[in-house]
Amino acid sequence: MIVRSFEEVENTDRHIKAASGTWESKRIVLAKEKVGFSLHETIMYAGTETSMWYANHIEAVLCIGGEAQVTNDETGEVHDITPGTMYLLNGHEHHTVRPKSDFRTICVFNPPVTGREEHDESGAYPLLTED
């Protein structure tokens, strides 16, 4: 059994801050735990814009605080996301998140991330694995 708090991972190698300054993420479960998914708390900052594309991962995002608009960049469809709303990127959609306020989410990735990934120029994470 693993018991771990987001507070425990703050300011460790599991606490990732985007070079762009638009978000930070605390990775409470990573690939090294070998459970088939990773679990994160991610905060995207109000007034920013982040375009992403998970070519190698499926991501579920549950809003637990704040508000944002998520745009499916492939269709132009825009969704308002508020606390208690989830969006699932089950088709590897290119998408852009525009937080109206600090946007706090719980995210699940499959396959799990290692914590070493960085968004490339297309917005994707590479598929890294743990030995």
Side-chain angles (χ1 to χ4, degrees):
M1 177 186 299
I2 297 170
V3 177
R4 184 178 294 133
S5 71
F6 288 117
E7 187 175 312
E8 287 176 62
V9 303
E10 194 163 336
N11 299 317
T12 71
D13 62 348
R14 289 175 178 261
H15 188 180
I16 309 300
K17 296 180 181 180
S20 64
T22 61
W23 58 268
E24 66 180 272
S25 183
K26 297 174 189 168
R27 280 79 186 275
I28 199 164
V29 177
L30 288 169
K32 65 177 130 187
E33 274 78 54
K34 300 196 182 298
V35 295
F37 64 90
S38 57
L39 179 67
H40 320 174
E41 174 194 52
T42 299
I43 299 172
M44 301 182 83
Y45 304 122
T48 64
E49 181 176 299
T50 304
S51 294
M52 296 168 276
W53 173 49
Y54 295 113
N56 302 303
H57 300 84
I58 300 295
E59 182 189 27
V61 179
L62 174 64
C63 174
I64 59 172
E67 295 182 34
Q69 282 193 328
V70 176
T71 302
N72 180 330
D73 296 334
E74 297 168 15
T75 66
E77 194 172 15
V78 177
H79 302 275
D80 290 318
I81 309 297
T82 58
T85 305
M86 182 274 312
Y87 63 94
L88 177 65
L89 301 162
N90 60 320
H92 304 283
E93 295 86 355
H94 291 258
H95 63 289
T96 300
V97 180
R98 295 176 183 89
K100 297 177 183 179
S101 57
D102 284 354
F103 183 55
R104 187 171 172 227
T105 63
I106 301 297
C107 307
V108 177
F109 278 82
N110 183 18
V113 301
T114 66
R116 300 184 315 271
E117 294 82 0
E118 292 186 24
H119 290 276
D120 66 19
E121 63 282 346
S122 71
Y125 276 159
L127 183 58
L128 301 179
T129 58
E130 289 289 336
D131 294 329

